[in-house]
Amino acid sequence: MAKTCLIEREQKRRDTVEKFAAKRAELTAAMNNAAASPEERRAARLKLQSLPRNSSPVRLRNRCALTGRPRGVFSKFGIARGKLRELMMRGEVPGVTKASW
């Protein structure tokens, strides 16, 4: 089980990314606009750089919904491999069966 502070920090980052998503998209579009003058594009870049660091979606980390484990998380289920295996062995994941040959 991951520390509660790490899980909370990740949730705080997700909230920040969601809060600034529209602003970041607007500034990125202004920055990539070829018709705009170089001064306008530079101003958009500076505004984008002045946004909080944690508002960038690149800083997000996928974590297990049950344990908070940061590695080995299956994106389809949102659960770490160990817990996913336990759930599959108990038959609680629909559509997944144990392979046998």
Side-chain angles (χ1 to χ4, degrees):
M1 188 81 172
K3 287 184 177 180
T4 308
C5 64
L6 295 176
I7 296 170
E8 293 296 323
R9 182 189 307 159
E10 189 63 32
Q11 185 57 46
K12 188 176 175 184
R13 278 187 183 147
R14 288 190 186 281
D15 295 341
T16 307
V17 167
E18 185 179 336
K19 179 180 175 183
F20 287 97
K23 182 76 171 169
R24 289 185 75 85
E26 176 187 326
L27 290 172
T28 304
M31 210 170 58
N32 294 333
N33 185 6
S37 69
E39 292 82 21
E40 292 172 348
R41 294 172 70 180
R42 186 173 187 279
R45 190 178 326 113
L46 291 174
K47 285 182 184 176
L48 185 66
Q49 289 175 355
S50 68
L51 291 179
R53 187 176 282 183
N54 283 334
S55 68
S56 174
V58 173
R59 293 178 64 90
L60 293 177
R61 176 85 178 178
N62 288 335
R63 287 190 173 269
C64 176
L66 302 176
T67 62
R69 180 180 165 87
R71 296 182 178 205
V73 178
F74 283 78
S75 58
K76 183 176 181 180
F77 302 103
I79 300 173
R81 57 185 173 78
K83 286 294 179 180
L84 182 62
R85 184 175 188 274
E86 288 177 14
L87 293 173
M88 286 190 292
M89 292 304 229
R90 282 187 275 172
E92 296 178 7
V93 181
V96 179
T97 56
K98 187 175 186 302
S100 59
W101 60 90

